Amino acid sequence: MQNTIRIIGIDPGLRRTGWGVIDTLGNSLRFVASGTVTSDGDMDLASRLCQLHDGLADIVHSYKPDEAAVEQTFVNKDAVATLKLGQARGIAMLVPARAGLPVAEYAPNAVKKAVIGVGHGEKRQIHMMLKILMPKAEFKGDDAADALAIAICHAHNRGANRMRQAALAG
């Protein structure tokens, strides 16, 4: 007998961190909620990271996911922006880990491939496929949509991840 698994997908960003929660049972996906945690750009970096932490912690506490998935950082040409994104990503991984959740990581191309079938695509394609995969899905903006896509990617890959971890442990 299978149990429903609740997954939170997190799209890290210093200004806006998207989050999306889905339930998965076998191959079926059900939209639960999505949104964006924001930080105040007028505040210092440490305060902004605290805002992201507290916002995500509230989401994890409210929706009680079983597993988490976070998008991996891509390297930009601007080293300072990449470093700040990495710090926001650290918060995105820390919050679910501190809540006792396993945290998986996925490259942006893997997320796109899981949702739209190819590793490169536009935001509107992701939005369209989210509505096809989960007709009741509601998301405002690209960050929340990306977070739902990350959760879907994890739903499709979680079995393979568990077998890989078991092989490494055994």
Side-chain angles (χ1 to χ4, degrees):
M1 180 97 188
Q2 293 181 340
N3 293 325
T4 299
I5 302 297
R6 179 160 287 182
I7 299 169
I8 183 168
I10 303 172
D11 181 32
L14 184 58
R15 286 190 194 118
R16 293 175 308 278
T17 291
W19 59 271
V21 178
I22 64 170
D23 286 340
T24 180
L25 178 62
N27 290 330
S28 71
L29 302 172
R30 186 177 69 82
F31 171 78
V32 176
S34 69
T36 306
V37 176
T38 60
S39 71
D40 183 345
D42 293 332
M43 296 179 82
D44 63 279
L45 179 61
S47 297
R48 293 177 75 185
L49 293 172
C50 283
Q51 287 178 320
L52 295 177
H53 175 277
D54 294 347
L56 279 176
D58 287 345
I59 300 303
V60 168
H61 178 76
S62 295
Y63 291 99
K64 299 180 179 14
D66 300 301
E67 299 177 8
V70 178
E71 189 170 69
Q72 291 176 340
T73 303
F74 61 91
V75 178
N76 304 230
K77 293 177 183 170
D78 181 354
V80 173
T82 301
L83 181 59
K84 287 179 180 179
L85 176 59
Q87 291 167 326
R89 189 170 172 278
I91 297 297
M93 294 181 70
L94 172 72
V95 169
R98 293 282 304 187
L101 306 180
V103 181
E105 303 173 71
Y106 297 97
N109 288 352
V111 173
K112 289 177 183 172
K113 188 169 185 174
V115 175
I116 61 175
V118 293
H120 300 282
E122 296 178 17
K123 297 287 185 186
R124 64 180 172 78
Q125 290 174 293
I126 291 172
H127 290 215
M128 184 181 71
M129 284 305 296
L130 287 174
K131 285 296 193 180
I132 291 169
L133 293 170
M134 295 181 301
K136 294 182 181 180
E138 296 176 10
F139 47 89
K140 292 182 181 172
D142 292 341
D143 302 299
D146 288 350
L148 285 170
I150 294 161
I152 291 169
C153 178
H154 182 63
H156 292 317
N157 289 288
R158 59 187 297 278
N161 288 344
R162 280 197 323 261
M163 287 189 288
R164 192 170 28 256
Q165 289 171 346
L168 291 173

